[in-house]
């Protein structure tokens, strides 16, 4: 048992390190392939860095490395991360930011396709997957990700659509300087990126579970153990048979729903379960802290 715990203690951080490294590689590949091929502006601070690069190249004939721009403009988000989100999370994120910057400057630019629609769609998907990988591994790609996580932690719901709006304003600025065609394609890129994140990263999405069962205590205990969330017991009358019925009401994170439902079915195969997407939640709700 002691040896097994030591292995888990080693493999956990090792897997996290490999995952965030993979995420940084995905970011860099995207910034060296789809983004330059389409002349697009990716999401967040990487888009701002590329916009500054292109402005300096066009109007001042200055070729500024991506690293020299991307790391400095992330200093404020990094401060927010250390102060409000978590030190380990921020350190891993800083590693992702640095590695992405270095790889973006060293990997030769290459073209996968010249079709602008394909570039916008698949570039956005690749960027979204990079964000998801780093977030699931306990880090971020920096910039807007830090701000979105900070807002989500404070508000209790995901803020990716707000970030999409902010990115769109950045793209409109780029459109005014370099033309709106590529800026509009970049909005498609941003939309695909946001949808991938919302599809696979569900930390700030919540579901309400309504569970009608005769084994309320056993199910409640498992919900408490697995999710750290509480539940409320309602007692009523079934209209069809006129018999007493008990219902548990609980709100859990969306990524926990399938696990909880499987546990309920194991305890009571006859349980009636209604899962509802929760748009907004006010009040005390357990949130696992990032370290």
């Amino acid at each position: 048992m002691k040896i097994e715990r030591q292995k888990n203690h080693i493999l956990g951080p090792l897997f996290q390190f490999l995952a965030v490294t993979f995420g940084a590689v995905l970011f860099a590949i995207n910034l060296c392939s789809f983004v330059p091929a389409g002349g697009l502006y990716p999401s967040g601070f990487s888009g701002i860095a590329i916009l500054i690069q292109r402005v300096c190249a066009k109007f001042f004939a200055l070729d500024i490395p991506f690293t020299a721009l991307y790391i400095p403009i992330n200093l404020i988000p990094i401060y927010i991360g250390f102060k409000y989100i978590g030190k380990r999370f921020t350190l891993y994120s800083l590693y992702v930011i640095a590695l992405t910057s270095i790889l973006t400057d060293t990997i030769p630019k290459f073209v996968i396709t010249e079709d602008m629609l394909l570039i916008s769609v698949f570039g956005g998907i690749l960027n979204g997957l990079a964000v998801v990988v780093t977030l699931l591994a306990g880090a971020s790609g920096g910039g807007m990700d830090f701000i979105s996580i900070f807002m989500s932690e404070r508000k209790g719901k995901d803020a990716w659509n707000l970030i999409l709006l902010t990115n769109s304003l950045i793209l409109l600025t780029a459109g005014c300087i370099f033309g709106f065609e590529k800026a509009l394609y970049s909005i498609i890129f941003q939309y695909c990126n946001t949808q991938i994140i919302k599809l696979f990263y569900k930390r700030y999405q919540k579901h309400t579970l309504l569970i009608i069962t005769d084994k309320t205590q056993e199910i409640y205990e498992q919900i408490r153990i697995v999710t750290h969330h509480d539940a409320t017991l309602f007692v009523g009358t079934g209209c069809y048979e006129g018999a007493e019925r008990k219902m548990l009401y609980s709100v859990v994170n969306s990524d926990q729903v399938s696990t909880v439902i499987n546990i309920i079915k194991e305890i009571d195969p006859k349980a009636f379960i209604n899962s509802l997407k929760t748009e907004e939640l006010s009040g005390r709700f357990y949130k696992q802290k990032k370290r």
Side-chain angles (χ1 to χ4, degrees):
M1 183 66 72
K2 186 176 181 180
I3 295 175
E4 184 177 343
R5 287 180 180 175
Q6 289 176 343
K7 287 183 179 179
N8 291 336
H9 182 72
I10 296 172
L11 291 177
L14 176 61
F15 177 79
Q16 186 178 18
F17 176 78
L18 293 175
V20 296
T21 301
F22 179 62
V25 171
L26 290 181
F27 278 123
I29 289 174
N30 196 28
L31 292 172
C32 292
S33 58
F34 289 110
V35 171
L40 301 178
Y41 300 91
S43 60
F45 283 27
S46 58
I48 295 175
I50 289 174
L51 178 59
I52 295 173
Q53 270 188 317
R54 293 175 184 173
V55 167
C56 290
K58 180 175 182 179
F59 296 105
F60 306 104
L62 294 175
D63 186 14
I64 302 177
F66 181 79
T67 305
L69 294 170
Y70 191 54
I71 292 179
I73 64 176
N74 271 286
L75 292 179
I76 293 177
I78 288 170
Y79 170 77
I80 292 173
F82 268 113
K83 188 172 180 63
Y84 298 105
I85 299 176
K87 292 182 179 179
R88 181 185 295 181
F89 177 88
T90 305
L91 287 173
Y92 273 113
S93 300
L94 185 58
Y95 167 72
V96 173
I97 293 167
L99 183 59
T100 299
S101 301
I102 294 169
L103 291 177
T104 301
D105 283 332
T106 54
I107 295 176
K109 304 295 185 289
F110 60 96
V111 177
I112 296 176
T113 177
E114 295 181 352
D115 186 291
M116 282 298 295
L117 184 58
L118 291 177
I119 289 172
S120 303
V121 172
F122 285 96
I125 291 173
L126 182 59
N127 199 78
L129 289 175
V131 173
V132 169
V133 168
T134 53
L135 288 174
L136 291 178
S140 79
M144 290 294 184
D145 290 352
F146 273 116
I147 297 171
S148 178
I149 291 168
F150 170 70
M151 294 175 63
S152 297
E153 292 284 353
R154 288 298 179 91
K155 298 293 184 180
K157 60 180 181 178
D158 68 72
W160 297 112
N161 285 333
L162 180 60
I163 299 302
L164 172 62
L165 176 62
T166 305
N167 287 330
S168 298
L169 294 176
I170 296 172
L171 296 175
L172 289 175
T173 303
C176 292
I177 301 174
F178 296 102
F180 280 99
E181 182 178 353
K182 291 182 179 179
L184 292 174
Y185 273 115
S186 295
I187 291 177
I188 298 175
F189 175 100
Q190 303 286 8
Y191 178 79
C192 294
N193 170 70
T194 304
Q195 296 311 305
I196 290 295
I197 296 170
K198 288 173 66 67
L199 179 63
F200 291 106
Y201 188 67
K202 300 181 178 181
R203 175 180 171 86
Y204 302 108
Q205 299 176 30
K206 299 173 180 62
H207 267 66
T208 297
L209 295 178
L210 303 175
I211 310 153
I212 299 176
T213 176
D214 293 326
K215 300 181 179 180
T216 54
Q217 188 59 35
E218 296 97 317
I219 291 174
Y220 163 70
E221 289 173 357
Q222 288 302 310
I223 290 175
R224 187 66 182 267
I225 292 170
V226 173
T227 70
H228 301 288
H229 297 303
D230 213 325
T232 301
L233 175 64
F234 292 90
V235 179
T237 302
C239 294
Y240 182 71
E241 296 180 348
E244 181 182 271
R245 291 287 183 262
K246 296 179 180 179
M247 183 181 74
L248 281 175
Y249 168 93
S250 185
V251 180
V252 300
N253 292 328
S254 294
D255 56 359
Q256 299 171 327
V257 172
S258 59
T259 302
V260 173
I261 289 178
N262 288 335
I263 291 173
I264 293 171
K265 288 180 178 179
E266 288 180 7
I267 297 173
D268 184 4
K270 296 181 179 180
F272 182 86
I273 308 166
N274 187 10
S275 176
L276 306 171
K277 185 176 180 180
T278 303
E279 295 294 337
E280 188 168 352
L281 190 67
S282 178
R284 292 189 302 170
F285 184 81
Y286 172 81
K287 290 184 292 185
Q288 185 176 355
K289 298 293 183 182
K290 292 183 180 294
R291 292 181 292 173

